[in-house]
Amino acid sequence: MDTKTVKRYMRLAIQEAKRGNDKTYPNPLVGCVIVKNNRVIGSGYHKRFGGPHAEIFALKEADKKADGATCFVTLEPCSYYGKTPPCVDALIRSGIKEVVCAAKDPNPLNNGKGLDALRRHSIKVSLGTLEKEAKALNRIFFKRMKSFKPLVTLKLAQSLDGKIASNCGDSKWISSKASRKVVQDLRKTHDAVLIGINTLLCDDPILTIRNSKRQPVKVIIDARLKTPLNARILKSISPGKTIIVTTKNADQGKAVALKSQGADILYAKSISKRVDLPALMKQLFLRGISSILAEGGGEISASLFKDSLIDKFYLFIAPIIIGGKAATNSIGGNGIDKIKDAKRFTDIKVKRVDNDILIEAKCSQA
């Protein structure tokens, strides 16, 4: 097959993979297409965690016609027993003559072993077709396997002059209803939503996904345990788990009281009486949190930037001017001394959301 044809079939496999969106966690999205005589004879995708992988569905559809065919798959086939048997064994038995793979599996249990097993059985293997597109499907999975830290997305909504609240702390609503709908969709694709204590005290948010059974874990950075016992995030109006992150210097009596309200108290390492955010990220990862949407205010945003923890950035800019030196800036902290030290972004996308402007970008250190 020529390069153009190979890419066309891999794009079909990528489209298959997308069909499993929001259903496979913590497994990656994977799609597979089997081609013979320039015709698709089988296709499949990973439908749910614990269920058969994409290759198995595609092989079942292709049946005996798979003998001598070419398999296009978005991620390296597994070579080990997990919830299901190894996919490489099924591919070998099928008589597949060639496997075109977009990306190597970063999981150390596999990580090239699947491709090596195929080669040992005289199956031709090629790697790297539309690799960037395939990896983009599973950025959280790839980061988790390589860094053992969650992927962090920062969301901010500000005025044209960079304010996220008035001089009296009023912030509802800066962004449009349509922009807030986008934020709801972002929550659906992250395991947890994170805010700082100042945001909790000012806005008393509930951080839920409307009309959804699945709710993100709510993480509150609260080094001194200022969270009110009557905060809405602790009530039934805000279903799901709430983790309040504090330090060992916090009031233990208040910790007990918050626990009685259903909160999970997580003690994190501290630096200068503040929560050590890089260390916290590893703690949250060990608790099964692989992706975080940070919706905090200026100070928590500044801290995340300072510690180079932000991978992706969504900035909603509303066509309003708030003004005032006392009004809250979108990014707080002490800032930088030299422009050369400013945080920089890549893969920038700009679009309209109602009357707002949405800037989506990746942080250059991610």
Side-chain angles (χ1 to χ4, degrees), residues 32-34 41-44 53-67 69 71 86-96:
C32 179
V33 170
I34 297 175
I41 59 173
S43 60
H53 292 181
E55 299 93 322
I56 304 306
F57 286 111
L59 287 171
K60 184 177 181 180
E61 185 176 322
D63 200 22
K64 294 181 180 180
K65 290 181 288 186
D67 188 20
C71 172
C87 289
V88 292
D89 291 353
L91 288 167
I92 292 166
R93 289 194 303 269
S94 73
I96 286 284

PDB file of all heavy atoms in Angstrom, residues 32-34 41-44 53-67 69 71 86-96:
ATOM      1  N   CYS A  32      -9.295  -0.328  15.776  1.00  0.00           N
ATOM      2  CA  CYS A  32      -8.631  -1.297  14.899  1.00  0.00           C
ATOM      3  C   CYS A  32      -9.449  -1.486  13.625  1.00  0.00           C
ATOM      4  O   CYS A  32     -10.686  -1.563  13.677  1.00  0.00           O
ATOM      5  CB  CYS A  32      -8.470  -2.627  15.639  1.00  0.00           C
ATOM      6  SG  CYS A  32      -7.683  -3.931  14.677  1.00  0.00           S
ATOM      7  N   VAL A  33      -8.748  -1.562  12.501  1.00  0.00           N
ATOM      8  CA  VAL A  33      -9.375  -1.828  11.201  1.00  0.00           C
ATOM      9  C   VAL A  33      -8.549  -2.897  10.489  1.00  0.00           C
ATOM     10  O   VAL A  33      -7.322  -2.814  10.446  1.00  0.00           O
ATOM     11  CB  VAL A  33      -9.443  -0.550  10.340  1.00  0.00           C
ATOM     12  CG1 VAL A  33      -9.861  -0.880   8.917  1.00  0.00           C
ATOM     13  CG2 VAL A  33     -10.407   0.460  10.944  1.00  0.00           C
ATOM     14  N   ILE A  34      -9.219  -3.912   9.954  1.00  0.00           N
ATOM     15  CA  ILE A  34      -8.538  -4.988   9.219  1.00  0.00           C
ATOM     16  C   ILE A  34      -8.898  -4.875   7.742  1.00  0.00           C
ATOM     17  O   ILE A  34     -10.085  -4.764   7.385  1.00  0.00           O
ATOM     18  CB  ILE A  34      -8.925  -6.367   9.781  1.00  0.00           C
ATOM     19  CG1 ILE A  34      -8.447  -6.475  11.235  1.00  0.00           C
ATOM     20  CG2 ILE A  34      -8.310  -7.486   8.943  1.00  0.00           C
ATOM     21  CD1 ILE A  34      -8.881  -7.746  11.931  1.00  0.00           C
ATOM     22  N   ILE A  41     -12.513  -5.398   6.075  1.00  0.00           N
ATOM     23  CA  ILE A  41     -13.267  -6.630   6.348  1.00  0.00           C
ATOM     24  C   ILE A  41     -13.592  -6.796   7.840  1.00  0.00           C
ATOM     25  O   ILE A  41     -14.316  -7.708   8.218  1.00  0.00           O
ATOM     26  CB  ILE A  41     -12.493  -7.870   5.861  1.00  0.00           C
ATOM     27  CG1 ILE A  41     -11.131  -7.974   6.545  1.00  0.00           C
ATOM     28  CG2 ILE A  41     -12.354  -7.849   4.342  1.00  0.00           C
ATOM     29  CD1 ILE A  41     -10.382  -9.261   6.246  1.00  0.00           C
ATOM     30  N   GLY A  42     -13.051  -5.889   8.651  1.00  0.00           N
ATOM     31  CA  GLY A  42     -13.348  -5.956  10.077  1.00  0.00           C
ATOM     32  C   GLY A  42     -12.915  -4.676  10.766  1.00  0.00           C
ATOM     33  O   GLY A  42     -11.920  -4.062  10.393  1.00  0.00           O
ATOM     34  N   SER A  43     -13.693  -4.244  11.752  1.00  0.00           N
ATOM     35  CA  SER A  43     -13.335  -3.043  12.511  1.00  0.00           C
ATOM     36  C   SER A  43     -13.843  -3.192  13.939  1.00  0.00           C
ATOM     37  O   SER A  43     -14.776  -3.956  14.205  1.00  0.00           O
ATOM     38  CB  SER A  43     -13.915  -1.780  11.863  1.00  0.00           C
ATOM     39  OG  SER A  43     -15.332  -1.860  11.810  1.00  0.00           O
ATOM     40  N   GLY A  44     -13.225  -2.475  14.855  1.00  0.00           N
ATOM     41  CA  GLY A  44     -13.658  -2.559  16.244  1.00  0.00           C
ATOM     42  C   GLY A  44     -12.966  -1.520  17.098  1.00  0.00           C
ATOM     43  O   GLY A  44     -12.007  -0.870  16.670  1.00  0.00           O
ATOM     44  N   HIS A  53     -10.614  -6.076  23.759  1.00  0.00           N
ATOM     45  CA  HIS A  53      -9.931  -4.953  23.137  1.00  0.00           C
ATOM     46  C   HIS A  53     -10.359  -4.803  21.680  1.00  0.00           C
ATOM     47  O   HIS A  53     -11.040  -5.658  21.114  1.00  0.00           O
ATOM     48  CB  HIS A  53      -8.417  -5.141  23.251  1.00  0.00           C
ATOM     49  CG  HIS A  53      -7.911  -5.050  24.652  1.00  0.00           C
ATOM     50  ND1 HIS A  53      -6.586  -5.169  24.981  1.00  0.00           N
ATOM     51  CD2 HIS A  53      -8.568  -4.842  25.830  1.00  0.00           C
ATOM     52  CE1 HIS A  53      -6.428  -5.039  26.289  1.00  0.00           C
ATOM     53  NE2 HIS A  53      -7.623  -4.849  26.824  1.00  0.00           N
ATOM     54  N   ALA A  54      -9.940  -3.702  21.088  1.00  0.00           N
ATOM     55  CA  ALA A  54     -10.372  -3.363  19.727  1.00  0.00           C
ATOM     56  C   ALA A  54     -10.035  -4.461  18.717  1.00  0.00           C
ATOM     57  O   ALA A  54     -10.846  -4.795  17.840  1.00  0.00           O
ATOM     58  CB  ALA A  54      -9.708  -2.048  19.309  1.00  0.00           C
ATOM     59  N   GLU A  55      -8.833  -5.048  18.839  1.00  0.00           N
ATOM     60  CA  GLU A  55      -8.398  -6.067  17.890  1.00  0.00           C
ATOM     61  C   GLU A  55      -9.328  -7.278  17.896  1.00  0.00           C
ATOM     62  O   GLU A  55      -9.575  -7.888  16.839  1.00  0.00           O
ATOM     63  CB  GLU A  55      -6.966  -6.525  18.223  1.00  0.00           C
ATOM     64  CG  GLU A  55      -5.928  -5.416  18.153  1.00  0.00           C
ATOM     65  CD  GLU A  55      -5.691  -4.747  19.485  1.00  0.00           C
ATOM     66  OE1 GLU A  55      -6.664  -4.547  20.254  1.00  0.00           O
ATOM     67  OE2 GLU A  55      -4.523  -4.415  19.777  1.00  0.00           O
ATOM     68  N   ILE A  56      -9.833  -7.626  19.057  1.00  0.00           N
ATOM     69  CA  ILE A  56     -10.692  -8.811  19.175  1.00  0.00           C
ATOM     70  C   ILE A  56     -12.008  -8.598  18.425  1.00  0.00           C
ATOM     71  O   ILE A  56     -12.482  -9.493  17.710  1.00  0.00           O
ATOM     72  CB  ILE A  56     -10.956  -9.141  20.659  1.00  0.00           C
ATOM     73  CG1 ILE A  56      -9.628  -9.316  21.404  1.00  0.00           C
ATOM     74  CG2 ILE A  56     -11.833 -10.369  20.779  1.00  0.00           C
ATOM     75  CD1 ILE A  56      -8.684 -10.338  20.787  1.00  0.00           C
ATOM     76  N   PHE A  57     -12.582  -7.419  18.565  1.00  0.00           N
ATOM     77  CA  PHE A  57     -13.825  -7.122  17.845  1.00  0.00           C
ATOM     78  C   PHE A  57     -13.594  -7.118  16.330  1.00  0.00           C
ATOM     79  O   PHE A  57     -14.416  -7.635  15.561  1.00  0.00           O
ATOM     80  CB  PHE A  57     -14.392  -5.769  18.290  1.00  0.00           C
ATOM     81  CG  PHE A  57     -15.026  -5.783  19.650  1.00  0.00           C
ATOM     82  CD1 PHE A  57     -14.442  -5.107  20.707  1.00  0.00           C
ATOM     83  CD2 PHE A  57     -16.199  -6.483  19.881  1.00  0.00           C
ATOM     84  CE1 PHE A  57     -15.022  -5.110  21.968  1.00  0.00           C
ATOM     85  CE2 PHE A  57     -16.793  -6.501  21.140  1.00  0.00           C
ATOM     86  CZ  PHE A  57     -16.199  -5.813  22.188  1.00  0.00           C
ATOM     87  N   ALA A  58     -12.478  -6.530  15.907  1.00  0.00           N
ATOM     88  CA  ALA A  58     -12.184  -6.480  14.468  1.00  0.00           C
ATOM     89  C   ALA A  58     -11.928  -7.876  13.905  1.00  0.00           C
ATOM     90  O   ALA A  58     -12.403  -8.209  12.806  1.00  0.00           O
ATOM     91  CB  ALA A  58     -10.981  -5.575  14.230  1.00  0.00           C
ATOM     92  N   LEU A  59     -11.198  -8.696  14.640  1.00  0.00           N
ATOM     93  CA  LEU A  59     -10.927 -10.067  14.182  1.00  0.00           C
ATOM     94  C   LEU A  59     -12.202 -10.899  14.122  1.00  0.00           C
ATOM     95  O   LEU A  59     -12.374 -11.722  13.212  1.00  0.00           O
ATOM     96  CB  LEU A  59      -9.916 -10.732  15.116  1.00  0.00           C
ATOM     97  CG  LEU A  59      -8.466 -10.248  15.006  1.00  0.00           C
ATOM     98  CD1 LEU A  59      -7.626 -10.820  16.135  1.00  0.00           C
ATOM     99  CD2 LEU A  59      -7.870 -10.639  13.649  1.00  0.00           C
ATOM    100  N   LYS A  60     -13.088 -10.679  15.069  1.00  0.00           N
ATOM    101  CA  LYS A  60     -14.353 -11.425  15.061  1.00  0.00           C
ATOM    102  C   LYS A  60     -15.174 -11.090  13.825  1.00  0.00           C
ATOM    103  O   LYS A  60     -15.789 -11.977  13.201  1.00  0.00           O
ATOM    104  CB  LYS A  60     -15.146 -11.113  16.337  1.00  0.00           C
ATOM    105  CG  LYS A  60     -16.431 -11.916  16.457  1.00  0.00           C
ATOM    106  CD  LYS A  60     -17.137 -11.607  17.774  1.00  0.00           C
ATOM    107  CE  LYS A  60     -18.425 -12.424  17.903  1.00  0.00           C
ATOM    108  NZ  LYS A  60     -19.129 -12.134  19.189  1.00  0.00           N
ATOM    109  N   GLU A  61     -15.180  -9.830  13.464  1.00  0.00           N
ATOM    110  CA  GLU A  61     -15.932  -9.417  12.272  1.00  0.00           C
ATOM    111  C   GLU A  61     -15.284  -9.946  10.999  1.00  0.00           C
ATOM    112  O   GLU A  61     -15.962 -10.365  10.062  1.00  0.00           O
ATOM    113  CB  GLU A  61     -16.024  -7.887  12.220  1.00  0.00           C
ATOM    114  CG  GLU A  61     -16.884  -7.365  11.082  1.00  0.00           C
ATOM    115  CD  GLU A  61     -17.029  -5.858  11.111  1.00  0.00           C
ATOM    116  OE1 GLU A  61     -17.138  -5.285  12.216  1.00  0.00           O
ATOM    117  OE2 GLU A  61     -17.031  -5.250  10.020  1.00  0.00           O
ATOM    118  N   ALA A  62     -13.948  -9.915  10.963  1.00  0.00           N
ATOM    119  CA  ALA A  62     -13.242 -10.397   9.771  1.00  0.00           C
ATOM    120  C   ALA A  62     -13.316 -11.905   9.632  1.00  0.00           C
ATOM    121  O   ALA A  62     -13.307 -12.441   8.522  1.00  0.00           O
ATOM    122  CB  ALA A  62     -11.778  -9.951   9.832  1.00  0.00           C
ATOM    123  N   ASP A  63     -13.345 -12.601  10.743  1.00  0.00           N
ATOM    124  CA  ASP A  63     -13.428 -14.059  10.803  1.00  0.00           C
ATOM    125  C   ASP A  63     -12.266 -14.689   9.985  1.00  0.00           C
ATOM    126  O   ASP A  63     -11.144 -14.205  10.057  1.00  0.00           O
ATOM    127  CB  ASP A  63     -14.799 -14.519  10.289  1.00  0.00           C
ATOM    128  CG  ASP A  63     -15.150 -15.929  10.753  1.00  0.00           C
ATOM    129  OD1 ASP A  63     -14.580 -16.375  11.775  1.00  0.00           O
ATOM    130  OD2 ASP A  63     -15.981 -16.576  10.104  1.00  0.00           O
ATOM    131  N   LYS A  64     -12.523 -15.687   9.206  1.00  0.00           N
ATOM    132  CA  LYS A  64     -11.467 -16.416   8.488  1.00  0.00           C
ATOM    133  C   LYS A  64     -10.815 -15.583   7.398  1.00  0.00           C
ATOM    134  O   LYS A  64      -9.707 -15.899   6.946  1.00  0.00           O
ATOM    135  CB  LYS A  64     -12.035 -17.708   7.906  1.00  0.00           C
ATOM    136  CG  LYS A  64     -12.465 -18.719   8.968  1.00  0.00           C
ATOM    137  CD  LYS A  64     -13.007 -19.990   8.339  1.00  0.00           C
ATOM    138  CE  LYS A  64     -13.442 -20.986   9.414  1.00  0.00           C
ATOM    139  NZ  LYS A  64     -13.980 -22.239   8.811  1.00  0.00           N
ATOM    140  N   LYS A  65     -11.493 -14.523   6.982  1.00  0.00           N
ATOM    141  CA  LYS A  65     -10.928 -13.661   5.938  1.00  0.00           C
ATOM    142  C   LYS A  65      -9.714 -12.892   6.430  1.00  0.00           C
ATOM    143  O   LYS A  65      -8.975 -12.287   5.640  1.00  0.00           O
ATOM    144  CB  LYS A  65     -11.999 -12.685   5.437  1.00  0.00           C
ATOM    145  CG  LYS A  65     -13.105 -13.351   4.625  1.00  0.00           C
ATOM    146  CD  LYS A  65     -14.119 -12.347   4.130  1.00  0.00           C
ATOM    147  CE  LYS A  65     -14.993 -11.822   5.258  1.00  0.00           C
ATOM    148  NZ  LYS A  65     -16.089 -10.942   4.761  1.00  0.00           N
ATOM    149  N   ALA A  66      -9.470 -12.909   7.757  1.00  0.00           N
ATOM    150  CA  ALA A  66      -8.319 -12.192   8.318  1.00  0.00           C
ATOM    151  C   ALA A  66      -6.992 -12.798   7.861  1.00  0.00           C
ATOM    152  O   ALA A  66      -5.958 -12.116   7.878  1.00  0.00           O
ATOM    153  CB  ALA A  66      -8.396 -12.192   9.843  1.00  0.00           C
ATOM    154  N   ASP A  67      -7.014 -14.063   7.454  1.00  0.00           N
ATOM    155  CA  ASP A  67      -5.779 -14.728   7.001  1.00  0.00           C
ATOM    156  C   ASP A  67      -5.192 -13.973   5.796  1.00  0.00           C
ATOM    157  O   ASP A  67      -5.852 -13.826   4.763  1.00  0.00           O
ATOM    158  CB  ASP A  67      -6.097 -16.174   6.606  1.00  0.00           C
ATOM    159  CG  ASP A  67      -4.843 -16.973   6.317  1.00  0.00           C
ATOM    160  OD1 ASP A  67      -3.767 -16.561   6.774  1.00  0.00           O
ATOM    161  OD2 ASP A  67      -4.934 -18.008   5.640  1.00  0.00           O
ATOM    162  N   ALA A  69      -4.427 -10.771   5.792  1.00  0.00           N
ATOM    163  CA  ALA A  69      -4.866  -9.370   5.793  1.00  0.00           C
ATOM    164  C   ALA A  69      -3.882  -8.473   6.550  1.00  0.00           C
ATOM    165  O   ALA A  69      -2.912  -8.938   7.153  1.00  0.00           O
ATOM    166  CB  ALA A  69      -6.254  -9.259   6.405  1.00  0.00           C
ATOM    167  N   CYS A  71      -3.618  -5.458   9.509  1.00  0.00           N
ATOM    168  CA  CYS A  71      -4.315  -4.898  10.667  1.00  0.00           C
ATOM    169  C   CYS A  71      -3.777  -3.506  10.950  1.00  0.00           C
ATOM    170  O   CYS A  71      -2.558  -3.317  11.093  1.00  0.00           O
ATOM    171  CB  CYS A  71      -4.104  -5.808  11.880  1.00  0.00           C
ATOM    172  SG  CYS A  71      -4.717  -5.137  13.435  1.00  0.00           S
ATOM    173  N   PRO A  86      -3.910 -11.830  25.912  1.00  0.00           N
ATOM    174  CA  PRO A  86      -3.120 -10.972  25.021  1.00  0.00           C
ATOM    175  C   PRO A  86      -3.704 -10.893  23.609  1.00  0.00           C
ATOM    176  O   PRO A  86      -4.034 -11.920  23.012  1.00  0.00           O
ATOM    177  CB  PRO A  86      -1.750 -11.651  25.002  1.00  0.00           C
ATOM    178  CG  PRO A  86      -1.710 -12.509  26.224  1.00  0.00           C
ATOM    179  CD  PRO A  86      -3.117 -12.951  26.458  1.00  0.00           C
ATOM    180  N   CYS A  87      -3.770  -9.683  23.089  1.00  0.00           N
ATOM    181  CA  CYS A  87      -4.281  -9.507  21.729  1.00  0.00           C
ATOM    182  C   CYS A  87      -3.295 -10.036  20.686  1.00  0.00           C
ATOM    183  O   CYS A  87      -3.707 -10.456  19.598  1.00  0.00           O
ATOM    184  CB  CYS A  87      -4.563  -8.034  21.460  1.00  0.00           C
ATOM    185  SG  CYS A  87      -6.002  -7.406  22.361  1.00  0.00           S
ATOM    186  N   VAL A  88      -1.993 -10.008  21.009  1.00  0.00           N
ATOM    187  CA  VAL A  88      -1.025 -10.500  20.023  1.00  0.00           C
ATOM    188  C   VAL A  88      -1.258 -11.977  19.727  1.00  0.00           C
ATOM    189  O   VAL A  88      -1.082 -12.423  18.576  1.00  0.00           O
ATOM    190  CB  VAL A  88       0.436 -10.269  20.491  1.00  0.00           C
ATOM    191  CG1 VAL A  88       0.772  -8.803  20.524  1.00  0.00           C
ATOM    192  CG2 VAL A  88       0.705 -10.918  21.826  1.00  0.00           C
ATOM    193  N   ASP A  89      -1.680 -12.744  20.721  1.00  0.00           N
ATOM    194  CA  ASP A  89      -1.952 -14.169  20.493  1.00  0.00           C
ATOM    195  C   ASP A  89      -3.080 -14.351  19.488  1.00  0.00           C
ATOM    196  O   ASP A  89      -3.005 -15.208  18.591  1.00  0.00           O
ATOM    197  CB  ASP A  89      -2.307 -14.862  21.810  1.00  0.00           C
ATOM    198  CG  ASP A  89      -1.125 -14.954  22.763  1.00  0.00           C
ATOM    199  OD1 ASP A  89       0.001 -14.597  22.350  1.00  0.00           O
ATOM    200  OD2 ASP A  89      -1.321 -15.374  23.920  1.00  0.00           O
ATOM    201  N   ALA A  90      -4.126 -13.538  19.632  1.00  0.00           N
ATOM    202  CA  ALA A  90      -5.259 -13.627  18.706  1.00  0.00           C
ATOM    203  C   ALA A  90      -4.847 -13.213  17.297  1.00  0.00           C
ATOM    204  O   ALA A  90      -5.280 -13.822  16.305  1.00  0.00           O
ATOM    205  CB  ALA A  90      -6.407 -12.751  19.204  1.00  0.00           C
ATOM    206  N   LEU A  91      -4.000 -12.187  17.185  1.00  0.00           N
ATOM    207  CA  LEU A  91      -3.539 -11.750  15.866  1.00  0.00           C
ATOM    208  C   LEU A  91      -2.686 -12.823  15.203  1.00  0.00           C
ATOM    209  O   LEU A  91      -2.822 -13.083  13.995  1.00  0.00           O
ATOM    210  CB  LEU A  91      -2.734 -10.454  16.006  1.00  0.00           C
ATOM    211  CG  LEU A  91      -3.545  -9.196  16.348  1.00  0.00           C
ATOM    212  CD1 LEU A  91      -2.619  -8.058  16.764  1.00  0.00           C
ATOM    213  CD2 LEU A  91      -4.413  -8.762  15.171  1.00  0.00           C
ATOM    214  N   ILE A  92      -1.840 -13.451  15.978  1.00  0.00           N
ATOM    215  CA  ILE A  92      -0.983 -14.521  15.442  1.00  0.00           C
ATOM    216  C   ILE A  92      -1.822 -15.695  14.939  1.00  0.00           C
ATOM    217  O   ILE A  92      -1.611 -16.218  13.835  1.00  0.00           O
ATOM    218  CB  ILE A  92       0.026 -14.972  16.508  1.00  0.00           C
ATOM    219  CG1 ILE A  92       1.045 -13.858  16.776  1.00  0.00           C
ATOM    220  CG2 ILE A  92       0.740 -16.250  16.072  1.00  0.00           C
ATOM    221  CD1 ILE A  92       1.865 -14.052  18.033  1.00  0.00           C
ATOM    222  N   ARG A  93      -2.807 -16.094  15.734  1.00  0.00           N
ATOM    223  CA  ARG A  93      -3.676 -17.219  15.335  1.00  0.00           C
ATOM    224  C   ARG A  93      -4.491 -16.911  14.096  1.00  0.00           C
ATOM    225  O   ARG A  93      -4.838 -17.801  13.324  1.00  0.00           O
ATOM    226  CB  ARG A  93      -4.620 -17.587  16.487  1.00  0.00           C
ATOM    227  CG  ARG A  93      -3.949 -18.265  17.673  1.00  0.00           C
ATOM    228  CD  ARG A  93      -5.000 -18.883  18.589  1.00  0.00           C
ATOM    229  NE  ARG A  93      -5.972 -17.907  19.061  1.00  0.00           N
ATOM    230  CZ  ARG A  93      -5.841 -17.203  20.186  1.00  0.00           C
ATOM    231  NH1 ARG A  93      -4.758 -17.364  20.945  1.00  0.00           N
ATOM    232  NH2 ARG A  93      -6.770 -16.346  20.556  1.00  0.00           N
ATOM    233  N   SER A  94      -4.817 -15.654  13.881  1.00  0.00           N
ATOM    234  CA  SER A  94      -5.711 -15.272  12.785  1.00  0.00           C
ATOM    235  C   SER A  94      -5.074 -15.398  11.410  1.00  0.00           C
ATOM    236  O   SER A  94      -5.775 -15.451  10.396  1.00  0.00           O
ATOM    237  CB  SER A  94      -6.182 -13.824  12.986  1.00  0.00           C
ATOM    238  OG  SER A  94      -5.127 -12.915  12.712  1.00  0.00           O
ATOM    239  N   GLY A  95      -3.747 -15.390  11.364  1.00  0.00           N
ATOM    240  CA  GLY A  95      -3.067 -15.425  10.073  1.00  0.00           C
ATOM    241  C   GLY A  95      -2.801 -14.053   9.491  1.00  0.00           C
ATOM    242  O   GLY A  95      -2.405 -13.929   8.319  1.00  0.00           O
ATOM    243  N   ILE A  96      -3.016 -13.003  10.284  1.00  0.00           N
ATOM    244  CA  ILE A  96      -2.697 -11.639   9.839  1.00  0.00           C
ATOM    245  C   ILE A  96      -1.245 -11.598   9.354  1.00  0.00           C
ATOM    246  O   ILE A  96      -0.341 -12.127  10.007  1.00  0.00           O
ATOM    247  CB  ILE A  96      -2.889 -10.642  11.010  1.00  0.00           C
ATOM    248  CG1 ILE A  96      -4.378 -10.404  11.293  1.00  0.00           C
ATOM    249  CG2 ILE A  96      -2.174  -9.325  10.744  1.00  0.00           C
ATOM    250  CD1 ILE A  96      -5.082  -9.513  10.319  1.00  0.00           C
TER     251      ILE A  96
END
